[in-house]
Amino acid sequence: MKVLIIGGGIGGLTAALCLHGAGMEVVVCESVPEIKPLGVGINLLPHSMRVLSRVGLLERIAEHAVETAELSYFNKFGQRFWSEPRGQFAGYKWPQFSVHRGVLQYILFDAVRETLGPDAVRTNHHLDHFEQNDEGVVAHFVDRATGEMIHEERADLLVGADGINSVVRQQLYPDEGPPIYSENVLYRGTTMMPPFLAGNVMAMIGSMQQKMVVYPIAKPDVDGRVLTNWVGNLNEGQSTLTARDWNREADKDRLLDLYKTWQFDWLDVPQMMAGSGKVYEFPMSDRNPLDRWTFGRVTLLGDAAHPMYPIGSNGASQAILDADALTRALTSTTDPLDALTAYDRERVPATAKVVLQNRAKGPDQILDLMEARFPTGFEKHEIPHDELAEVMDHYKRVAGFDVQSLNQLT
Ligand SMILES: Cc1cc2nc3c(=O)[nH]c(=O)nc-3n(C[C@H](O)[C@H](O)[C@H](O)COP(=O)(O)OP(=O)(O)OC[C@H]3O[C@@H](n4cnc5c(N)ncnc54)[C@H](O)[C@@H]3O)c2cc1C
């Protein structure tokens, strides 16, 4: 059976590795002329590392990533009110990693070329449209720069892993319109700096009105400095930003002014921001969950299927879980069309819950809870541990990575 994957991002490349491992012929068509290390930090939770371990990438990722040991939450005065171990430090069979998105994409890209062959990923192939009948599916590609029709490819199945602005989804749902803007803008940067706290901590600071997420994404250099990813989240109301463009540059001076008082004894936020390279702005958006992704021989995967707010570190991980579920469905059912329906049945409701939880702030609800209750700070004995624990545990169950359930899997 031949599967055509549209999009060579995190989800598409993982699906290529999983499907090939299960004996299928796979071709990936990617819009950009050249895969470049774009993006900043991304997180791989233990449930997705289970999948990537099975395709043999645990060591390679470990070599380039930071193994996250702890997730901690702080108020805007830098007071810590929640801390929990993560990954293997929390008893999971698999680690949690923070890594540069471009580095991860390259690891996957190299692995696909090594195992599927050098021509398995065709760059500069932008999907224009597809059609399907009882015999198969035919996809038509253009050179995005010129609009010239360059190629058509036949396959038994087509998987749209073409991201938040998916052409496949648009053809399946022509009336849907653009992604839905959350009124929050994310400001993303990276800084080479000495490690903060224990050097393997992910820190969430502030409230959903003004937040900062900070975590290291690479090993220390010879001077002991680490590439540190930071994401400022500002509630900007109606913004002029509309397109979800991952690479638009932001006004760093304005940000420095907004965060100027966030100088803590464990991290100097303005100094970190000042030391960064370019800062990218990104309107935080998602789409309403769909009832179905599968139409005959065509289905969706990753951000094309369920774009979500980057809250709870789940965007890449859920795409990787889709790849695993799709492969399991196709190997456990003889009729591929039934398999796609089974994939839908498993993943559509599961990911819809995560999208909706993230809209309701996911685990970051505890930031707002503490801000509302203690706007001027708190005493240690006032921290409502049980209440915070309930929010955190609930999110793990919804997103499919509570330690007991996950560790039952092989
Ligand atoms: C340039 C870029 C930078 C990003 N940076 C970050 C980041 O810093 N942090 C973070 O958390 N998330 C980032 N993301 C999003 C993150 O990768 C996804 O949320 C998540 O990993 C799910 O992956 P995906 O494969 O579904 O989508 P994506 O990783 O978005 O991959 C989709 C792929 O499809 C390709 N594509 C799109 N349209 C077509 C078409 N018509 N034909 C063929 N190919 C097509 C795109 O070029 C892209 O390679 C970024 C995405 C992109 C594209």
Side-chain angles (χ1 to χ4, degrees):
M1 182 167 38
K2 177 171 169 187
V3 184
L4 176 58
I5 297 175
I6 310 300
I10 309 302
L13 293 172
T14 305
L17 290 169
C18 294
L19 293 169
H20 173 78
M24 277 161 250
E25 184 189 348
V26 183
V27 173
V28 180
C29 287
E30 164 57 48
S31 173
V32 298
E34 193 190 342
I35 306 259
K36 289 190 186 149
L38 293 175
V40 283
I42 214 163
N43 286 282
L44 296 167
L45 298 178
H47 51 6
S48 63
M49 277 315 303
R50 170 179 166 266
V51 177
L52 294 175
S53 301
R54 287 157 69 107
V55 292
L57 293 181
L58 177 70
E59 283 78 20
R60 263 198 237 182
I61 294 170
E63 210 179 302
H64 292 94
V66 173
E67 184 171 354
T68 313
E70 184 183 308
L71 171 65
S72 286
Y73 281 79
F74 302 81
N75 66 8
K76 60 179 180 271
F77 307 109
Q79 287 182 289
R80 179 167 7 202
F81 56 84
W82 179 261
S83 191
E84 63 178 38
R86 299 292 280 195
Q88 289 181 317
F89 298 87
Y92 287 96
K93 283 201 234 167
W94 298 276
Q96 173 170 334
F97 286 120
S98 295
V99 63
H100 192 288
R101 177 191 177 273
V103 170
L104 175 64
Q105 191 182 14
Y106 247 96
I107 291 173
L108 293 165
F109 183 43
D110 283 346
V112 169
R113 284 187 299 186
E114 279 163 31
T115 51
L116 279 72
D119 302 325
V121 181
R122 299 189 191 148
T123 49
N124 205 24
H125 278 57
H126 182 81
L127 180 78
D128 186 69
H129 66 280
F130 61 84
E131 67 251 347
Q132 59 173 317
N133 58 30
D134 291 347
E135 307 296 307
V137 53
V138 181
H140 302 265
F141 295 94
V142 293
D143 174 331
R144 201 166 185 195
T146 62
E148 183 196 347
M149 199 62 82
I150 52 166
H151 181 65
E152 62 177 52
E153 184 83 20
R154 288 171 187 278
D156 299 301
L157 301 176
L158 181 147
V159 179
D162 48 344
I164 175 117
N165 298 309
S166 167
V167 169
V168 180
R169 179 169 174 142
Q170 201 188 358
Q171 190 171 332
L172 298 175
Y173 290 93
D175 300 326
E176 189 186 22
I180 305 165
Y181 170 53
S182 66
E183 305 208 343
N184 284 266
V185 178
L186 303 175
Y187 296 91
R188 316 181 68 109
T190 51
T191 307
M192 282 304 289
M193 59 188 246
F196 70 94
L197 295 171
N200 50 9
V201 177
M202 182 175 206
M204 310 283 190
I205 317 162
S207 69
M208 298 306 280
Q209 197 62 27
Q210 180 168 357
K211 182 170 93 169
M212 178 60 69
V213 179
V214 190
Y215 53 92
I217 54 172
K219 309 274 189 251
D221 68 4
V222 285
D223 300 320
R225 297 181 317 152
V226 290
L227 185 66
T228 303
N229 181 76
W230 54 267
V231 187
N233 178 347
L234 293 176
N235 189 322
E236 303 273 31
Q238 278 310 318
S239 154
T240 49
L241 297 175
T242 46
R244 241 177 93 139
D245 173 359
W246 287 99
N247 299 307
R248 195 183 346 224
E249 225 179 305
D251 175 0
K252 193 156 105 179
D253 290 341
R254 173 174 170 259
L255 289 179
L256 279 170
D257 189 47
L258 286 166
Y259 285 92
K260 64 176 179 258
T261 60
W262 290 35
Q263 289 171 300
F264 316 129
D265 54 4
W266 57 275
L267 178 71
D268 186 326
V269 173
Q271 189 182 60
M272 172 184 73
M273 296 169 88
S276 80
K278 285 181 182 167
V279 179
Y280 299 101
E281 60 190 13
F282 179 70
M284 189 164 99
S285 322
D286 66 1
R287 291 181 182 275
N288 288 327
L290 297 171
D291 293 336
R292 58 190 281 209
W293 305 338
T294 294
F295 292 80
R297 297 175 176 277
V298 176
T299 195
L300 299 170
L301 182 149
D303 276 6
H306 48 71
M308 57 181 66
Y309 297 165
I311 286 176
S313 311
N314 252 289
S317 293
Q318 294 295 330
I320 292 165
L321 295 193
D322 292 345
D324 179 50
L326 178 65
T327 309
R328 267 188 289 107
L330 282 166
T331 45
S332 51
T333 315
T334 42
D335 180 349
L337 275 68
D338 288 347
L340 292 194
T341 309
Y343 161 67
D344 243 39
R345 263 201 310 274
E346 177 179 340
R347 293 300 293 159
V348 169
T351 52
K353 282 190 207 150
V354 187
V355 171
L356 297 178
Q357 263 291 311
N358 286 6
R359 268 189 198 170
K361 306 176 200 168
D364 293 0
Q365 281 171 58
I366 68 174
L367 291 171
D368 280 0
L369 188 155
M370 290 299 286
E371 168 74 20
R373 219 165 284 174
F374 306 104
T376 57
F378 56 82
E379 297 294 330
K380 266 199 168 140
H381 69 269
E382 295 178 303
I383 300 172
H385 289 288
D386 292 350
E387 224 176 312
L388 304 183
E390 177 47 34
V391 174
M392 301 306 281
D393 292 345
H394 177 67
Y395 186 74
K396 291 191 188 86
R397 285 194 299 275
V398 168
F401 68 107
D402 67 288
V403 66
Q404 287 83 6
S405 317
L406 187 59
N407 278 356
Q408 281 168 14
L409 303 175
T410 52

